[in-house]
Amino acid sequence: MYEWLNALPKAELHLHLEGTLEPELLFALAERNQVKLPWADVETLRKAYAFNNLQEFLDLYYAGADVLRTEQDFYDLTWAYLQKCKAQNVIHVEPFFDPQTHTDRGIPFEVVLRGIQGALKDGEKQLGIRHGLILSFLRHLSEEEAFRTLDQAMPFRDAFVAVGLDSSEVGHPPSKFQRVFDRARAEGLLTVAHAGEEGPPEYIWEALDLLKVERIDHGVRAIEDERLMQRIIDEQIPLTVCPLSNTKLCVFDHMREHNILQMLERGVKVTVNSDDPAYFGGYVTENFQALYEHLGMTKEQAQRLAQNSLDARLV
Ligand code: ADE
Ligand code: ZN
């Protein structure tokens, strides 16, 4: 089944580039940039990938990103991901990057962007993978800081298709960023947002009504609100679901309890994505494989999920 799933043409719509930083590359970049790491070796770092919730993961994810310093580092990170895509027949990607994770450490915005963009362009030319880049705001930071990041991005407006919202969800509702998203939309950018991962269904309503998102990232808690479910089905609002992430971060206790196929059968436009594959144990095909192994996903369901990902592209 793995080979069959791997060969399905698919798009990846929920992927944090910083979350593709494999321990081996992390150590190589630390050496290249002479960054001292708190972990003795790759194995020790991998052992630290045991999380009870989103915040425990984010703490490690932001610590790991500290090895990314130069344009070449961001190029190498993105290029390694695109090669994975090629191997898994991912033909279209709409990755996120978190500029604030880097600018707050003194890395210029354009250094980050040029590295990522260079690899995405080479990926299109050399690997035939199409892309649309999404600038994501860190929701644990202030509205003012998000505005500043949007200002930094505007000279490079054409590099992006959309803005997104990620990081610590609970306590940072979409409404906090309504004005930032209004400004982004006025600039012609589309919008997406993480909502209903750990946060309540109300956050999904806010993402739809206030941020006017095209897709909901995660959205698995929508199932707790029947009126919301009806809206998502009626309007065919895509959910970018990340099964391995959800089990690694204890959103579901076990893959057997994941609701993605239940949603699919109710007519929700759900898609399968890897979120932060270096941290959660696999890329897109491994996420599909987990649904086959633990939820009995059929080939017909896998085809529908893959088709949904292609239909839910922004570009
Ligand atoms: N940043 C990287 N991965 C994330 C996730 N799953 N939720 C929120 N923010 C993130
Ligand atoms: Zn995410």
Side-chain angles (χ1 to χ4, degrees):
M1 188 72 163
Y2 184 91
E3 284 311 318
W4 186 89
L5 293 168
N6 202 56
L8 268 183
K10 36 200 172 306
E12 177 143 65
L13 308 177
H14 185 153
L15 180 283
H16 303 264
L17 285 170
E18 294 88 347
T20 68
L21 181 56
E22 292 286 349
E24 290 78 9
L25 181 58
L26 192 153
F27 270 81
L29 295 181
E31 185 159 340
R32 185 154 97 187
N33 296 324
Q34 307 195 333
V35 178
K36 191 147 171 41
L37 294 175
W39 312 282
D41 49 37
V42 163
E43 277 322 299
T44 314
L45 175 56
R46 258 191 222 289
K47 285 210 186 83
Y49 294 177
F51 313 109
N52 293 301
N53 52 48
L54 173 59
Q55 193 59 50
E56 287 185 11
F57 156 68
L58 289 171
D59 292 343
L60 197 66
Y61 162 87
Y62 295 130
D66 186 38
V67 302
L68 297 161
R69 300 281 172 101
T70 68
E71 180 177 327
Q72 187 67 45
D73 298 341
F74 287 95
Y75 182 99
D76 292 348
L77 175 76
T78 308
W79 185 247
Y81 167 62
L82 289 168
Q83 283 179 308
K84 271 283 182 191
C85 291
K86 186 70 185 170
Q88 297 199 342
N89 208 18
V90 175
I91 60 174
H92 180 98
V93 294
E94 294 184 1
F96 304 112
F97 78 115
D98 296 332
Q100 289 157 297
T101 299
H102 314 298
T103 53
D104 284 1
R105 299 182 288 118
I107 315 293
F109 186 95
E110 55 267 41
V111 166
V112 179
L113 181 61
R114 287 215 182 92
I116 292 172
Q117 243 191 333
L120 290 174
K121 284 182 179 161
D122 286 350
E124 184 139 7
K125 277 193 294 231
Q126 296 173 35
L127 307 174
I129 299 170
R130 301 180 64 91
H131 65 269
L133 184 59
I134 303 174
L135 183 163
S136 203
F137 300 110
L138 298 180
R139 70 202 305 159
H140 68 276
L141 301 180
S142 68
E143 178 197 41
E144 187 190 342
E145 288 167 291
F147 267 123
R148 208 178 312 140
T149 301
L150 186 57
D151 286 339
Q152 285 175 322
M154 276 311 103
F156 313 98
R157 159 73 190 78
D158 293 344
F160 315 106
V161 294
V163 295
L165 190 62
D166 63 9
S167 194
S168 322
E169 186 181 10
V170 175
H172 303 284
S175 49
K176 178 176 166 186
F177 296 95
Q178 182 175 1
R179 294 186 297 186
V180 179
F181 275 57
D182 280 346
R183 166 99 59 91
R185 280 187 300 103
E187 296 285 353
L189 289 162
L190 298 171
T191 63
V192 297
H194 283 54
E197 178 185 19
E198 286 188 343
E202 288 71 32
Y203 285 20
I204 302 176
W205 284 105
E206 284 191 10
L208 294 171
D209 291 333
L210 306 182
L211 306 187
K212 311 211 183 298
V213 297
E214 306 288 328
R215 299 191 292 247
I216 295 288
D217 297 314
H218 293 296
V220 291
R221 288 194 61 190
I223 210 150
E224 298 168 26
D225 180 337
E226 187 48 36
R227 206 163 59 84
L228 178 59
M229 282 291 284
Q230 264 321 315
R231 174 161 179 201
I232 287 172
I233 294 164
D234 290 346
E235 297 182 18
Q236 287 290 283
I237 297 156
L239 304 188
T240 64
V241 178
C242 308
L244 286 173
S245 165
N246 291 155
T247 49
K248 273 285 199 180
L249 302 186
C250 306
V251 171
F252 295 93
D253 290 336
H254 192 279
M255 194 62 80
R256 284 188 303 272
E257 281 149 39
H258 205 290
N259 61 18
I260 183 169
L261 295 186
Q262 208 181 322
M263 294 243 214
L264 179 70
E265 293 312 321
R266 284 208 54 192
V268 179
K269 202 172 196 65
V270 280
T271 65
V272 177
N273 306 271
S274 68
D275 206 6
D276 302 285
Y279 293 89
F280 300 149
Y283 290 75
V284 175
T285 303
E286 285 77 23
N287 275 271
F288 273 96
Q289 177 72 14
L291 301 183
Y292 165 66
E293 284 175 12
H294 299 286
L295 291 173
M297 176 188 66
T298 65
K299 285 187 174 177
E300 185 275 327
Q301 286 176 319
Q303 279 166 329
R304 259 192 288 153
L305 288 163
Q307 188 59 50
N308 282 351
S309 74
L310 296 170
D311 294 345
R313 289 177 289 189
L314 296 177
V315 286

